[in-house]
Amino acid sequence: MPSRAVSTSRGLSSIAAALCLAALATPLHASAAETLRYVALVDGGRQAGEQVVTRADDGTVDVDFVFKDNGRGPELKERFTLADDGTFDSYRVKGTSTFGAPVDERFTLADGIARWKSTSDEGRQTVEGAGQYSPLAGTPATLSVAIQALSRRLDGRLPLIPSGTLTMRPVETVDVGAGAKRRKVQLLALTGVGLTPTFAWATTGESPRLFAFIAPGWVQLIEDGWQSSADDLEARQKKAEGTVLAELRRRLAHPAGGTLLIRNARVFDSEHARLGEASDVLVRSGRIVSVSDAGSERAPADQVVDAGGRVLLPGLFDSHAHVGRWDGGLNLASGVTSVRDMGNDNATLQQVKRDAEAGRLIMPRIVAAGFLEGESDFSARNGFVVSDLAGARKAVDWYAANGYPQIKIYNSFPKAILADTVAYAHGKGLRVSGHVPAFMRAQDVVDAGFDEIQHINQLLLNFFVTDTTDTRTLERFYLVAEKTDGLDLDSAPVRDFIASLVEHGVVIDPTLATFEFLHQRDGEMSPIVAEVADHLPPDIQRSRRAGEMNIPDDATGARYDRSFAKLVEFVGRAHAAGVPVVAGTDEMVGFTLQRELELYVQAGMTPSEALQTATWNGARYARVLDQRGSITPGKQADLVLVDGDPTRDIRDIRKLAFVLQGDRVYYPAEIHEAIGIEPFAPPVRFQPTAR
């Protein structure tokens, strides 16, 4: 899309909710009316939003928040009052979400009874002592109130309503500014909401408030007037986060030096999409040495894993990610040992790759797609943004020189230079993929030479757009939701389009699971986690019940349901016709790839064919098949042991007992327990051999 979300929860994927852990508020003890303004900066300093916080003389706080990036974003108005302990006494927020869904949420606490109602849920709870309501769709002002309330609590813990406990610890204190304009600010690490810590910069003193929130490589939210300090704070925060991440890897990545024998495993043949007989797989120094019949392997090994007849897969490949430094643990716990990054800040991604290769991060192996966008008011500005062919060629040259195997073209790219840019990239040996630029159809980019198209909506828009349809707006979602229901998949235009994809060898990266938001209603659990929601912390469960589209009535909802069903059917028809499919997510790390594979089975693939999209196909079209994608001697030892048989029931892909990435072993149960997720299968541990 790219999502660039700072949270692993789709319910927190809007900028308002994603930044709620970076909340902004005026001091609790302010006795006079005042207004504070904050700005949101992206892409090296471009302002993409603001928040204005106004406190009235009576203590009522009003918040106006707007954030627009990549043609979408929330607009929210919030009002709250505070109790004596600094927590919400009353709270209300109204507006629209990132994708246009209505937001209307309220909370009151009176006589020890908390009551709340949102578009997704409502509840009533007795509260004894302190309790801070955690809004589903609040502005970034909400958690700053909690930060201040936390600063007044001797135990450093703040119970959350309806569930959870928020804690924070200081990381470091620094001076910002110069001369007469100087201020001390402190970096805080907050835990208790989401699956990873959140870092936020706050003022110091008796009543701290948030000074800046930074999601490195994406957004800098900072008090107006202090923008020049943002880059320095980002660098300091990245260093502090790096220390925590390195310690996490030290605890959870178990060295498997020397030789490791995986005994009695049923090996999945990803090239031919079939499950083999029980085998022994010998690994040495992170490479597969041999695959032999079970019991025949006599080579000495330093460690042994008794697979007990379980299924052994090549490490899974997520072909559509936007890599963040905190994603690695959830990825490895879900068996994802490789990802293809489909759009990121170039400097940030290069640093993540260096840190991962140096052993400072838990991280899948990364294959980068170079992001290439055109200049417009809607531009997504990760990677290079160009306005002419010379600029496009210069960007392609940089990606080719830095080892990128492909580029990804985005929504605002100028159609006048598209074919020449594709030809130039091909001349440099790069694959070309992407969205369909505005005012074009998918058939146009196929004719221009695209090797791959991202997202099911970009494919289906082929049948709905005109020369004046601006798909840089929310139209790229609502058109597909509204019109696919009426599309005849047996019609000549659909059959001809699929035939053209086959003729040109175009790969599709549907990200079907991501687009289930097109028909998810408020109050319904996201299909991505619906089957396993009871494994997740309560705050994640609650956030995943938030719908994102404006679905005003049952008739609209039913139409959107039927439209999504046809999106799934289209993928099945394309696959049956011979269109190559890769499995990508662009959504909640650690859970979405499994749902994507389930949808492929619903589309008509066998479970083994679905597994092939996330193993052999992923490596093949990322051009790393010589190194991974199959369990073959000489390749990297990226292996996943499943406590079940996903070739019969694709849902078993969640039941991982052991993950090997080169010379490091990860136990999914161990990672999940560390971040508050109930494990899906007991670990199968490697043991030293008797000498």
Side-chain angles (χ1 to χ4, degrees), residues 91-346:
Y91 173 86
R92 182 76 185 270
V93 62
K94 297 189 71 173
T96 55
S97 72
T98 294
F99 292 93
V103 171
D104 190 355
E105 184 173 2
R106 66 185 71 191
F107 165 84
T108 60
L109 177 60
D111 300 323
I113 303 297
R115 295 178 175 85
W116 66 92
K117 181 177 176 58
S118 72
T119 54
S120 302
D121 71 340
E122 61 181 304
R124 180 181 186 276
Q125 184 173 307
T126 300
V127 178
E128 297 180 2
Q132 171 69 359
Y133 179 63
S134 182
L136 275 176
T139 76
T142 56
L143 194 57
S144 190
V145 175
I147 289 173
Q148 293 180 42
L150 261 169
S151 72
R152 301 165 62 187
R153 291 183 60 82
L154 296 178
D155 62 0
R157 299 169 62 83
L158 182 62
L160 296 175
I161 301 170
S163 65
T165 301
L166 190 67
T167 65
M168 70 180 182
R169 64 176 179 85
V171 177
E172 67 171 317
T173 300
V174 300
D175 290 320
V176 294
K181 187 179 180 181
R182 292 186 66 82
R183 175 181 288 176
K184 284 188 180 296
V185 295
Q186 59 182 330
L187 181 62
L188 302 174
L190 300 113
T191 57
V193 175
L195 298 174
T196 60
T198 296
F199 291 81
W201 293 93
T203 58
T204 59
E206 181 181 352
S207 183
R209 60 173 173 79
L210 191 124
F211 177 69
F213 169 79
I214 296 169
W218 176 26
V219 64
Q220 299 168 333
L221 191 64
I222 193 165
E223 187 178 330
D224 193 19
W226 295 88
Q227 289 90 322
S228 61
S229 299
D231 287 344
D232 178 58
L233 294 181
E234 178 167 341
R236 290 176 180 273
Q237 180 177 322
K238 286 170 67 175
K239 183 178 179 180
E241 290 187 28
T243 300
V244 177
L245 287 163
E247 170 59 20
L248 195 65
R249 185 178 188 274
R250 188 194 66 77
R251 284 196 298 118
L252 298 175
H254 303 281
T259 55
L260 173 68
L261 179 62
I262 303 173
R263 180 181 293 152
N264 190 24
R266 299 184 68 196
V267 173
F268 179 69
D269 177 354
S270 58
E271 180 180 4
H272 302 101
R274 63 191 180 203
L275 186 62
E277 299 300 321
S279 301
D280 292 343
V281 179
L282 185 66
V283 172
R284 180 180 297 116
S285 301
R287 293 271 173 182
I288 299 169
V289 175
S290 64
V291 181
S292 57
D293 293 340
S296 66
E297 180 57 65
R298 302 303 180 193
D302 299 300
Q303 294 95 207
V304 174
V305 176
D306 185 359
R310 294 176 177 85
V311 172
L312 189 69
L313 303 173
L316 301 180
F317 209 116
D318 182 347
S319 291
H320 197 127
H322 299 280
V323 174
R325 293 198 300 169
W326 288 93
D327 294 346
L330 278 167
N331 268 319
L332 268 296
S334 64
V336 174
T337 58
S338 295
V339 297
R340 185 176 61 172
D341 187 278
M342 295 302 292
N344 220 313
D345 173 75
N346 288 333

Side-chain angles (χ1 to χ4, degrees), residues 70-72 378 470-477:
N70 190 16
R72 58 184 183 238
F378 297 97
D470 193 345
T471 52
R472 296 170 298 183
T473 69
L474 293 180
E475 281 289 277
R476 66 185 186 268
F477 308 113

Side-chain angles (χ1 to χ4, degrees), residues 397-414:
D397 287 342
W398 189 90
Y399 287 129
N402 283 275
Y404 287 62
Q406 76 178 62
I407 60 170
K408 175 188 176 183
I409 289 174
Y410 208 59
N411 297 329
S412 292
F413 195 83

Side-chain angles (χ1 to χ4, degrees), residues 526-588:
S526 164
I528 289 173
V529 298
E531 191 169 305
V532 297
D534 57 348
H535 287 256
L536 301 176
D539 67 298
I540 300 296
Q541 293 184 42
R542 182 174 180 243
S543 69
R544 300 299 299 191
R545 290 190 180 95
E548 296 190 64
M549 294 281 282
N550 183 12
I551 303 178
D553 51 49
D554 289 342
T556 302
R559 184 166 63 254
Y560 288 13
D561 286 341
R562 295 190 297 268
S563 287
F564 184 77
K566 283 195 173 180
L567 301 184
V568 176
E569 184 180 352
F570 178 89
V571 171
R573 289 178 178 232
H575 167 74
V579 177
V581 178
V582 293
T585 59
D586 197 21
E587 230 274 22
M588 186 180 189

Side-chain angles (χ1 to χ4, degrees), residues 344-512:
N344 220 313
D345 173 75
N346 288 333
T348 297
L349 183 61
Q350 294 297 312
Q351 184 63 55
V352 169
K353 291 182 68 176
R354 287 192 296 269
D355 287 346
E357 290 164 3
R360 293 189 288 267
L361 292 175
I362 297 175
M363 186 61 59
R365 305 183 198 275
I366 299 170
V367 177
F371 193 81
L372 191 55
E373 170 71 304
E375 185 66 62
S376 83
D377 291 340
F378 297 97
S379 298
R381 295 180 177 270
N382 17 334
F384 290 97
V385 180
V386 304
S387 56
D388 55 27
L389 184 58
R393 287 175 170 170
K394 185 177 179 180
V396 169
D397 287 342
W398 189 90
Y399 287 129
N402 283 275
Y404 287 62
Q406 76 178 62
I407 60 170
K408 175 188 176 183
I409 289 174
Y410 208 59
N411 297 329
S412 292
F413 195 83
K415 64 179 181 179
I417 64 169
L418 182 66
D420 287 339
T421 300
V422 173
Y424 187 78
H426 284 162
K428 290 288 182 176
L430 276 64
R431 298 178 75 246
V432 178
S433 72
H435 289 203
V436 177
F439 313 113
M440 300 184 75
R441 297 182 307 129
Q443 185 63 57
D444 297 328
V445 302
V446 172
D447 295 340
F450 267 38
D451 301 291
E452 182 177 335
I453 297 175
Q454 267 69 53
H455 300 307
I456 189 63
N457 71 320
Q458 298 290 323
L459 289 159
L460 270 295
L461 283 168
N462 185 72
F463 307 106
F464 310 134
V465 298
T466 69
D467 291 342
T468 60
T469 304
D470 193 345
T471 52
R472 296 170 298 183
T473 69
L474 293 180
E475 281 289 277
R476 66 185 186 268
F477 308 113
Y478 281 92
L479 266 179
V480 172
E482 285 283 349
K483 291 184 174 294
T484 306
D485 174 40
L487 180 66
D488 181 1
L489 296 184
D490 289 315
S491 65
V494 175
R495 289 187 284 106
D496 290 346
F497 178 57
I498 291 176
S500 180
L501 295 174
V502 175
E503 178 186 355
H504 291 86
V506 177
V507 179
I508 63 172
D509 167 25
T511 64
L512 279 173

Side-chain angles (χ1 to χ4, degrees), residues 640-645 649 651-658 668 680-681:
V640 175
L641 190 64
V642 184
D643 194 9
D645 185 355
D649 185 346
R651 294 173 298 179
D652 282 353
I653 194 63
R654 300 183 188 275
K655 301 174 183 177
L656 303 187
F658 171 96
F680 296 90

